[in-house]
Amino acid sequence: RVNYAEVGNDAAPLSLINTYTRSSNFQGQPIYSLPNTNLNPNLKPERTNSFEVGLETSVLDNRLGLDVTYYKTQSVDQIVSGAVSSASNVTNAYVNGGTINNEGFEVQLTGTPIKTQDFSWNITVNWSNNKSTVESLPNGLENLQLASFQGGVTSNATPGEPYGALKGTDYVYTNGQPTVDQATGRYMISSTSDKIIGNINPDWIGGIRNKFNYKNMSLGFLIDSQHGGDIFSLDMYYGLATG
């Protein structure tokens, strides 16, 4: 099979024009306030172009089947809430987030090891991987901060990096090895928190589903697995800092 598709997506309701929020009166006087996220009347709809090619086949009277797919998608003008300087009186703003590519493989293997008049055992194994890359950002931006956490760690969209890349402080390296401060005997830490330190996207995900049928009864269970993908643990951060 081969297919190509284009789909669109709009912003959340009430994302275009800033409106005041009514709060409780203060000493009899009405109070109104603006939201912390600046809305954007110039938002354009998201568009995703996708291409897919795949092969599906089965043998042995459908006792063994294989489905393999390669896909590639390009999302243009993604709508995101990016962090901005709080000096602007807001902390976030809705913007169109540039161009993001995703590509990967999906594989599914099905089998029926046992099949009798009263009993059957069916197995489905699936595996997939996805590579996400930020191709460009709007208005020539070099980085779009998606979220920020304690410890100076942020989630970002950066051209050439996976969507959601984690940034923070890192060791100072010499010839690929962490540099030791001769005065303290400790590893030297970068003075800025804009170093790539992690990728939230998993290397692959997979699962195995077993289903047993006996006459009019059936029992099934699923085992899922995810390999790779970095997580920033605030508990670990404080635990390392405080011993």
Side-chain angles (χ1 to χ4, degrees):
R1 61 182 179 272
V2 177
N3 66 67
Y4 175 81
E6 293 187 14
V7 297
N9 187 32
D10 60 359
L14 306 179
S15 298
L16 302 181
I17 300 175
N18 290 325
T19 57
Y20 287 96
T21 300
R22 178 74 161 88
S23 303
S24 300
N25 289 354
F26 178 73
Q27 295 185 353
Q29 301 299 316
I31 297 177
Y32 293 86
S33 61
L34 285 172
N36 291 327
T37 300
N38 190 41
L39 307 184
N40 186 352
N42 299 315
L43 282 179
K44 296 183 289 184
E46 298 178 3
R47 291 182 296 111
T48 298
N49 310 320
S50 62
F51 168 78
E52 177 182 305
V53 58
L55 171 67
E56 183 177 354
T57 183
S58 63
V59 296
L60 303 176
D61 293 331
N62 293 325
R63 295 279 296 271
L64 182 63
L66 176 66
D67 189 343
V68 181
T69 302
Y70 167 78
Y71 66 89
K72 185 173 184 178
T73 66
Q74 183 180 70
S75 299
V76 181
D77 295 329
Q78 282 201 325
I79 299 173
V80 297
S81 176
V84 298
S85 171
S86 57
S88 62
N89 204 36
V90 294
T91 58
N92 295 76
Y94 277 122
V95 296
N96 287 109
T99 302
I100 299 173
N101 292 327
N102 285 276
E103 63 177 325
F105 288 91
E106 297 175 345
V107 180
Q108 179 174 277
L109 180 66
T110 59
T112 306
I114 301 175
K115 186 176 183 180
T116 66
Q117 183 176 352
D118 295 329
F119 179 79
S120 64
W121 173 24
N122 299 299
I123 301 176
T124 301
V125 180
N126 64 77
W127 177 92
S128 65
N129 74 329
N130 179 75
K131 181 180 180 182
S132 169
T133 305
V134 178
E135 187 174 301
S136 63
L137 294 176
N139 303 321
L141 289 176
E142 296 182 357
N143 187 77
L144 179 62
Q145 187 180 112
L146 305 175
S148 61
F149 314 99
Q150 297 182 49
V153 176
T154 57
S155 176
N156 305 267
T158 306
E161 299 292 340
Y163 184 80
L166 296 177
K167 289 187 176 183
T169 57
D170 195 2
Y171 295 122
V172 175
Y173 294 93
T174 302
N175 298 325
Q177 299 296 322
T179 305
V180 177
D181 188 333
Q182 299 300 322
T184 63
R186 298 177 179 177
Y187 288 130
M188 298 176 64
I189 304 296
S190 62
S191 59
T192 60
S193 56
D194 58 352
K195 309 298 183 181
I196 298 291
I197 59 173
N199 178 7
I200 64 173
N201 301 287
D203 298 330
W204 57 265
I205 59 176
I208 301 176
R209 183 176 186 270
N210 287 271
K211 184 178 181 181
F212 303 93
N213 296 291
Y214 178 71
K215 293 185 177 182
N216 294 326
M217 296 183 297
S218 66
L219 171 66
F221 64 92
L222 174 68
I223 301 175
D224 279 330
S225 177
Q226 174 176 305
H227 184 271
D230 297 312
I231 298 174
F232 170 63
S233 171
L234 192 60
D235 290 340
M236 178 65 73
Y237 172 80
Y238 279 115
L240 293 174
T242 60

